[in-house]
């Protein structure tokens, strides 16, 4: 979203300055109102002081996606999920299958270090969960008319299923929960929204955002 991009660029510049670095000048740096809203939102969600919220947002923005991709690749055969935890324990959390522990590590950003913490014992890898859902798609379509897509919450392993209903009635789908969970071998959460019958739907799959 463009507003978030503008805000985080301003945060990143301020954080770099706070760590004794020259802020990167940008056309976006004057969006004080946008960044104030971003910081206040983070404060409301986490209870962090304003200066801490500013730095933590900057760390998330400045950490290259390549660093996260490298972690996913390194633990590919065990990878079950990756998500951020916020104040007061900001860190990147990595869920792994198996019981072999992995020593925590630290990644570096211009706004400061970010901890990486590994948790073992996940029931299956993220890829295995995706494959299980894809294999069960025909059964899901029959059990859940109007299913439009799914996402996997990498924090919990819960499968979030999006459903479009003509009348938005979630009760009908809740009655199918036990059967769907048995089919997928995983806990599920339904999000039911109302839509007119004229609008076409598509089937999409992916992972739920991890904050």
């Amino acid at each position: 979203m463009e507003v978030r991009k503008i805000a985080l660029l301003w945060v990143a510049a301020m954080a770099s300055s706070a760590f004794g670095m020259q802020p990167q000048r940008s056309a976006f740096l004057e969006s004080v109102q946008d960044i104030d809203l971003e910081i206040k939102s983070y404060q409301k969600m986490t209870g962090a002081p304003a200066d801490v919220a500013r730095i933590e947002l900057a760390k998330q923005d400045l950490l290259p996606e390549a660093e996260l991709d490298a972690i996913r690749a390194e633990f590919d055969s065990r990878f079950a999920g990756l998500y951020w935890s916020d104040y007061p324990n900001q860190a990147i959390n990595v869920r792994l299958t198996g019981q072999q522990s992995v020593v925590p590590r630290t990644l570096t950003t211009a706004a400061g270090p970010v901890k990486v913490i590994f948790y073992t014992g996940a029931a299956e890898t993220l890829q295995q969960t995706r494959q299980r859902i894809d294999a069960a798609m025909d059964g899901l379509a029959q059990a859940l008319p109007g299913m439009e897509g799914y996402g996997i919450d990498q924090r919990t392993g819960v499968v979030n299923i999006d459903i479009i209903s003509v009348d938005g009635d979630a009760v009908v789908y809740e009655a199918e929960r036990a059967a769907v969970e048995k089919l997928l071998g995983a806990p599920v959460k339904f999000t039911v929204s109302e839509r007119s019958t004229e609008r076409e739907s598509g089937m999409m799959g992916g992972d739920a955002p991890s904050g």
Side-chain angles (χ1 to χ4, degrees):
M1 187 170 70
E2 186 62 21
V3 171
R4 179 173 175 81
K5 178 181 178 182
I6 291 171
L8 291 183
L9 282 169
W10 196 86
V11 169
M14 294 302 294
S16 296
S17 179
F19 277 83
M21 302 176 63
Q22 282 295 107
Q24 297 296 311
R25 299 306 302 171
S26 164
F28 300 118
L29 295 188
E30 302 307 319
S31 293
V32 176
Q33 183 177 2
D34 290 331
I35 186 54
D36 282 346
L37 289 173
E38 192 77 13
I39 290 174
K40 288 176 181 177
S41 176
Y42 190 85
Q43 286 185 272
K44 182 178 181 179
M45 180 178 66
T46 66
D51 57 338
V52 174
R54 184 188 304 275
I55 297 301
E56 294 204 352
L57 285 169
K59 288 179 181 179
Q60 293 188 36
D61 188 51
L62 291 171
L63 183 66
E65 184 64 28
E67 297 274 12
L68 304 182
D69 286 342
I71 292 174
R72 296 182 184 102
E74 180 180 353
F75 297 97
D76 179 63
S77 64
R78 301 179 61 191
F79 183 77
L82 182 152
Y83 61 93
W84 282 87
S85 56
D86 294 315
Y87 177 87
N89 299 304
Q90 188 187 45
I92 295 168
N93 303 274
V94 182
R95 297 174 58 239
L96 302 174
T97 60
Q99 298 301 323
Q100 184 178 355
S101 63
V102 179
V103 177
R105 61 185 65 172
T106 300
L107 300 181
T108 302
T109 77
V114 177
K115 294 179 180 178
V116 182
I117 302 174
F118 297 89
Y119 297 91
T120 60
E124 62 183 3
T125 67
L126 188 61
Q127 183 61 25
Q128 288 170 333
T129 303
R130 290 175 180 146
Q131 291 172 344
R132 185 190 300 273
I133 297 171
D134 290 342
M137 198 59 72
D138 288 345
L140 287 174
Q142 292 179 8
L144 305 170
M147 176 176 171
E148 186 167 75
Y150 73 85
I152 302 168
D153 187 331
Q154 294 189 42
R155 181 187 298 266
T156 63
V158 171
V159 179
N160 297 308
I161 299 178
D162 296 320
I163 302 170
I164 298 300
S165 171
V166 174
D167 57 8
D169 185 5
V171 176
V172 175
Y173 300 99
E174 283 297 327
E176 301 293 335
R177 176 183 298 279
V180 171
E181 290 186 337
K182 182 178 181 180
L183 180 65
L184 298 182
V188 302
K189 176 182 178 181
F190 298 130
T191 300
V192 181
S193 57
E194 186 175 355
R195 188 175 66 182
S196 66
T197 55
E198 288 81 9
R199 181 177 171 186
E200 295 183 358
S201 66
M203 183 67 71
M204 298 178 65
D207 301 325
S210 302

